[in-house]
Amino acid sequence: MADHYEILGVSREATEEEIKKAYRKLARQLHPDVNPGEDAAERFKLVTHAYDVLSNAESRRRYDMGGDSAGGNFGNFGGFGDIFETFFGAGGGGRTARPRSRRERGQDALVRISLELGDVVFGVHKDIEVDTAVLCETCQGSCCQEGTSPVTCDICKGSGHVQQQVRSLLGNVITTQPCGSCEGYGTTIPYPCSTCSGQGRVRSRRTVALDIPAGVEDGLRLQLPGSGEVGRGGGPSGDLYIEVSVAPHPTFSREGDDLLATLEVAMSDAILGTTTTIEGLDGSVDLEIRAGLQSGDVLTIKNRGVTPLRGTQRGDLRVGVQVVTPTRLDSKQRKLIEDFARTSKAPAPKLAEFHQGLFSKLRDRFRNS
């Protein structure tokens, strides 16, 4: 194989600008419009390939090291066939230009829905309204009036492309462009469907049945393949994405698969202990309050949390305790408390570990429980 530097007539120490200058000079001399000979066409291919390799720093480095000389970076072209086709048109030896298809894939659609926390815990069925493009029932995606069909474009003769001569660094070159008459389709529609105006689809509101699984989180997107917009010309539908927004709950919050809540307990109940019933998201729950319960303690109720998105074992319901101290006492109650204080030998108030409020303490207990 001939050396790329020899083909371009430059030294191995040539700069990028010197390589570019040499290539332009040779390309003008060997261009088929200027020099139609077969030898010139072959040399033009070699010159173009050499420039393709040496104009890219990485491919030049590999070539200098004796590696693969293919590849390179000639603009955004994929290979010599693409270059030749772009410069000289489909008839110049490149791939045959093909007309566009009227059938196009539809766009994806996005719908946002709001859920309650209970919907997240157990899952829920929703019928949602979606406003998207649907298949035209009149023409069934053909884009034409009944009894008619597309006709071959008389400008591009069905190819969807036309050639034109333009001036460039290489001189006058022939380029291939989409046909402006048929917009590259190769056919025209003289009698478009009156319902969809020749689009093959119309906008319509429709109902989509959706089963939302338990365990979804705020901001999660669910994908329904093929439920988005129908494409032009009756093309395949895009996908429908459902973005979930979970509304705040006045009592419960979520942490992973667990539910969190705060329970206010009277001081007397915290001292003596008692039983109570609380209302969970799926019914009442009996809860035992042991004697000596402290503010910040966490009571755990197994399997009353959230069902995970990909699993069956529910999380827990964790209840943080807040002991409520009475603010008003009558004389009898105050006397009882004073007697209790004298006999209990409670330690004097002292500094303890710093906490930024009860809820910080509860949060730490939740995480460590």
Side-chain angles (χ1 to χ4, degrees):
M1 180 179 292
D3 181 78
H4 291 331
Y5 292 100
E6 293 180 1
I7 292 174
L8 293 178
V10 297
S11 68
R12 289 187 171 273
E13 291 75 29
T15 65
E16 181 180 346
E17 186 60 32
E18 290 172 339
I19 291 174
K20 183 184 297 184
K21 184 176 179 180
Y23 167 69
R24 289 176 177 174
K25 179 180 178 181
L26 290 171
R28 290 192 186 99
Q29 296 174 358
L30 301 173
H31 191 284
D33 288 347
V34 178
N35 194 339
E38 293 183 4
D39 291 343
E42 288 300 319
R43 286 190 61 198
F44 183 80
K45 292 180 182 180
L46 293 175
V47 166
T48 302
H49 180 60
Y51 178 73
D52 188 17
V53 173
L54 299 183
S55 62
N56 179 271
E58 178 60 24
S59 62
R60 182 180 180 180
R61 184 187 66 81
R62 292 198 305 267
Y63 178 73
D64 289 342
M65 295 176 64
D68 184 12
S69 64
N73 183 25
F74 192 82
N76 292 322
F77 300 109
F80 183 78
D82 290 335
I83 299 170
F84 210 72
E85 178 180 340
T86 302
F87 281 160
F88 314 120
R95 296 192 298 269
T96 303
R98 297 180 181 178
R100 292 170 55 193
S101 171
R102 291 189 183 275
R103 285 176 52 84
E104 300 176 359
R105 182 185 183 275
Q107 292 185 341
D108 297 336
L110 174 65
V111 176
R112 295 180 174 87
I113 61 171
S114 180
L115 300 179
E116 301 295 333
L117 186 58
D119 300 332
V120 173
V121 174
F122 311 111
V124 66
H125 176 86
K126 292 277 188 180
D127 291 325
I128 59 176
E129 296 292 322
V130 182
D131 186 5
T132 59
V134 299
L135 185 69
C136 175
E137 295 184 356
T138 302
C139 69
Q140 293 297 309
S142 71
C143 307
C144 303
Q145 292 185 14
E146 185 178 359
T148 68
S149 60
V151 297
T152 301
C153 175
D154 56 2
I155 301 298
C156 66
K157 310 304 180 185
S159 70
H161 295 78
V162 293
Q163 295 180 348
Q164 67 181 77
Q165 181 173 294
V166 296
R167 295 187 61 83
S168 73
L169 295 174
L170 304 178
N172 293 330
V173 297
I174 305 298
T175 63
T176 300
Q177 304 290 338
C179 175
S181 177
C182 65
E183 299 180 348
Y185 294 117
T187 59
T188 59
I189 300 178
Y191 304 103
C193 172
S194 58
T195 301
C196 64
S197 301
Q199 297 295 308
R201 59 180 183 172
V202 294
R203 295 204 69 84
S204 176
R205 182 171 290 274
R206 57 194 172 94
T207 301
V208 176
L210 178 64
D211 288 318
I212 299 177
V216 296
E217 298 182 0
D218 188 77
L220 181 71
R221 287 190 177 183
L222 303 174
Q223 181 182 12
L224 300 181
S227 294
E229 289 196 344
V230 170
R232 290 187 60 179
S237 298
D239 298 336
L240 175 63
Y241 290 88
I242 309 296
E243 186 172 275
V244 173
S245 173
V246 182
H249 193 278
T251 303
F252 300 98
S253 62
R254 179 182 180 182
E255 185 176 85
D257 295 332
D258 292 341
L259 292 177
L260 311 180
T262 300
L263 180 67
E264 294 183 346
V265 178
M267 185 179 67
S268 57
D269 290 335
I271 295 173
L272 302 175
T274 186
T275 58
T276 188
T277 300
I278 62 174
E279 290 298 324
L281 290 175
D282 55 344
S284 59
V285 182
D286 292 331
L287 189 62
E288 180 180 357
I289 299 174
R290 66 182 182 276
L293 199 66
Q294 303 292 314
S295 285
D297 286 350
V298 176
L299 307 178
T300 299
I301 305 170
K302 293 292 187 181
N303 302 319
R304 297 302 288 265
V306 180
T307 303
L309 186 59
R310 295 177 179 84
T312 57
Q313 184 66 40
R314 291 178 61 179
D316 301 329
L317 170 59
R318 293 188 284 161
V319 181
V321 173
Q322 179 182 356
V323 177
V324 180
T325 303
T327 57
R328 293 184 180 181
L329 299 173
D330 59 27
S331 58
K332 184 177 180 180
Q333 291 171 332
R334 186 175 183 84
K335 179 66 167 58
L336 291 172
I337 295 297
E338 290 173 346
D339 292 342
F340 170 77
R342 282 193 299 270
T343 59
S344 65
K345 296 182 180 180
K350 64 178 181 179
L351 291 176
E353 181 182 355
F354 174 74
H355 288 283
Q356 291 186 353
L358 171 66
F359 289 100
S360 295
K361 185 177 180 181
L362 288 177
R363 181 191 59 207
D364 295 341
R365 293 289 183 89
F366 278 138
R367 291 176 176 175
N368 297 327
S369 62

